[in-house]
Amino acid sequence: MGNSYEELRAAVTADGGLHVITMGVLRDIQGAGRLGSRVLGAISGQLSSHGMGHLPKELPASQDSPVRIYLLGTPIAEIVDAVHNPSLKGDETLRGVGGSEARAQLQKIREIVGG
């Protein structure tokens, strides 16, 4: 992982659209000294402006806390949005994830890996 939001986005992309990072690394990318509320807001804004979202929704103030970074506009982002902002469209997204097609795909994967 590098030291810029562009490099973080590349790492998220390389990791299949979901990447785990610590708040300390995000703090360093932001160039901040402490993880106060203004810095947390700035990090969240920078992630968004670079096409990334984060979980948890409220960034933690501890430098050792893990954060999941995901790409906006992806199926992962749709699921996160469906959970955080309930709607009829979101309900359909969640049903699709938990539907029989998804179960069949998981079963195929289990068979391939011998699970």
Side-chain angles (χ1 to χ4, degrees):
M1 219 328 290
N3 57 2
S4 72
Y5 285 103
E6 292 80 9
E7 291 176 53
L8 174 58
R9 184 177 169 90
V12 175
T13 301
D15 212 4
L18 182 69
H19 185 70
V20 180
I21 193 169
T22 65
M23 284 302 300
V25 174
L26 283 174
R27 177 202 59 216
D28 293 347
I29 290 172
Q30 184 65 26
R34 293 184 38 210
L35 289 169
S37 61
R38 285 189 199 153
V39 170
L40 295 176
I43 290 171
S44 185
Q46 282 294 320
L47 288 168
S48 180
S49 72
H50 285 86
M52 296 176 281
H54 55 81
L55 290 171
K57 192 173 182 176
E58 298 295 324
L59 290 173
S62 169
Q63 69 178 9
D64 297 322
S65 294
V67 178
R68 272 117 184 113
I69 307 297
Y70 59 90
L71 297 177
L72 298 176
T74 64
I76 292 171
E78 289 177 22
I79 293 167
V80 170
D81 187 55
V83 170
H84 284 198
N85 304 300
S87 68
L88 293 176
K89 182 179 183 229
D91 294 346
E92 290 304 313
T93 298
L94 294 173
R95 282 187 189 102
V97 171
S100 59
E101 186 176 315
R103 282 195 294 273
Q105 290 174 344
L106 285 173
Q107 183 58 38
K108 286 180 188 177
I109 291 168
R110 285 188 193 109
E111 290 170 5
I112 291 169
V113 298

